[in-house]
Amino acid sequence: MTEPHTTGPTGKTNTPSLEGAENERASAATKLTIGLAAVAVIVVVGLVVSIVMVFRGDDAEPLVSLDPATDSAAPAQVGDGLFEPDPVFDKFNRVIYVPLEPHGVILSDILASSNRPADQAPSGVMLQRIHGNMDLPFSTSDGPTGFTDNGVAIGFSRTAQGAALAAAHYIGYVAAGDNRVEMVTQAKRVSDPTGQLSGVRLADNTPTAAMPMVNVTFHPDLTLVKFGATVERPSGATEIRVVKIPVVWREGTGWVVQLDSSALGGEFEPVSSEGWQQWW
C-alpha cells in the first residue's frame, strides 16, 4: 500500500522535505564539532592540572631511589654575589640555589658538542628557584644561554639534553599560573594554534618544580620528553607518574612545546620501565 500524496493550494505535490533533513544533519555535525572541541579543551585542562599536581609534588614522593648521573652529581660552581648565601631543599630533598636575579643565572654561554649519547646527563646541572617559586634546571653544557625580554630562559642546545631542559622550563611555565602562561606564550616557546590554553585557569604564581625523572626519545627536529615521579597508587602499588611533552625545533627560535600534538599526555608506567634517568 502506497502513502497518498497531498497537494497544496498551487496544485504542486508536497514530498518529505530534503532541505529539512540536510539542515538537521548540518546541525548535528556542528554540535559534534563543538562537542569534540570542548572535549579537547577538557583534556588539555585536565593534563595541565595533572602537571601542576606532579610539578608541585602534591602526590609525588621519591619512593624509588635513582642514582643521579655521575657527571652531573656535583653542583655547578656558585658565582660570588649572584645567589642568596644559603641554598634550600625542595620537596624531593634536592638542593636549590636562589639567584638574586628573578629570572635566574646563566651558568655558561657556550654549548657542548652534540655528539653525545641521548641518555647522558647534561653537565654542571643546578636547580635554581626563579621568579620566586619555580625550581628549574640550568646547566653548563646545554643551556640556557640567555633570556627573553620578559625573563624566559632560551638558548638550549639541539640535543636530547637541551630538549629536556627546554621542556622542563616551558611546561613549568604552563603549570605555574595564568601570568606565567602569558610569559611563555609571549616568548613564543609554546605552540597553541587552537587556543587550548585559553581554557586553563590557574592562580597566578603557582609554585612549580622540575620533575626528578627524565626519559628522552630524541630526534633533532621533534623530540618526546617524558618527565616522571614515583607515586603510590590507590591500589598500594608504586608506579611512575608520567607527563609526555613533545618539543619541536624551530630555526631562529629553538625548542618549542607542542600543545596541539597528539603525543602530549599523561600516563603511568611500572617502576621497572627502561630509559629513565635522574638528571636533576
Side-chain angles (χ1 to χ4, degrees):
M1 181 176 179
T2 59
E3 183 177 351
H5 296 289
T6 59
T7 58
T10 60
K12 294 182 181 180
T13 302
N14 293 334
T15 58
S17 173
L18 294 178
E19 182 179 355
E22 289 294 336
N23 288 339
E24 288 182 5
R25 281 194 289 270
S27 176
T30 300
K31 291 177 180 178
L32 176 60
T33 301
I34 294 173
L36 290 175
V39 169
V41 170
I42 290 171
V43 168
V44 171
V45 172
L47 177 62
V48 171
V49 171
S50 176
I51 292 171
V52 171
M53 290 176 64
V54 181
F55 271 53
R56 289 179 61 181
D58 288 349
D59 64 349
E61 296 292 341
L63 300 176
V64 176
S65 176
L66 295 177
D67 292 330
T70 55
D71 67 346
S72 64
Q77 183 177 359
V78 179
D80 292 339
L82 299 178
F83 296 86
E84 294 289 349
D86 296 325
V88 297
F89 283 117
D90 72 353
K91 290 186 177 182
F92 296 103
N93 292 325
R94 298 176 298 185
V95 176
I96 309 295
Y97 292 88
V98 183
L100 299 181
E101 290 289 340
H103 49 259
V105 174
I106 298 300
L107 303 180
S108 174
D109 58 3
I110 300 175
L111 298 176
S113 168
S114 60
N115 297 324
R116 288 170 289 159
D119 61 353
Q120 180 177 321
S123 299
V125 172
M126 173 195 287
L127 285 166
Q128 297 185 25
R129 178 160 294 171
I130 64 173
H131 301 301
N133 59 3
M134 300 174 66
D135 298 343
L136 299 176
F138 290 65
S139 81
T140 59
S141 60
D142 295 274
T145 59
F147 302 101
T148 61
D149 290 341
N150 65 348
V152 176
I154 57 174
F156 296 98
S157 64
R158 196 174 185 177
T159 62
Q161 297 79 8
L165 287 159
H169 274 254
Y170 303 149
I171 204 65
Y173 277 85
V174 171
D178 291 350
N179 58 330
R180 272 81 177 264
V181 169
E182 184 178 357
M183 287 177 66
V184 74
T185 301
Q186 289 178 347
K188 302 186 185 305
R189 263 56 192 185
V190 293
S191 176
D192 184 27
T194 57
Q196 296 182 83
L197 276 179
S198 62
V200 179
R201 290 291 179 267
L202 295 172
D204 286 353
N205 305 318
T206 296
T208 187
M211 297 168 70
M213 300 166 64
V214 184
N215 190 330
V216 182
T217 303
F218 177 70
H219 187 281
D221 296 326
L222 183 64
T223 292
L224 182 63
V225 180
K226 296 196 297 186
F227 295 116
T230 52
V231 297
E232 185 173 339
R233 303 295 304 279
S235 63
T238 298
E239 293 185 334
I240 303 172
R241 185 169 191 168
V242 181
V243 175
K244 300 185 295 181
I245 310 297
V247 289
V248 62
W249 181 268
R250 292 184 177 169
E251 292 297 336
T253 300
W255 293 113
V256 175
V257 172
Q258 282 191 321
L259 292 179
D260 58 327
S261 171
S262 60
L264 183 75
E267 60 189 16
F268 290 90
E269 292 186 9
V271 293
S272 59
S273 299
E274 297 182 352
W276 288 99
Q277 311 288 332
Q278 188 172 0
W279 287 355
W280 42 73

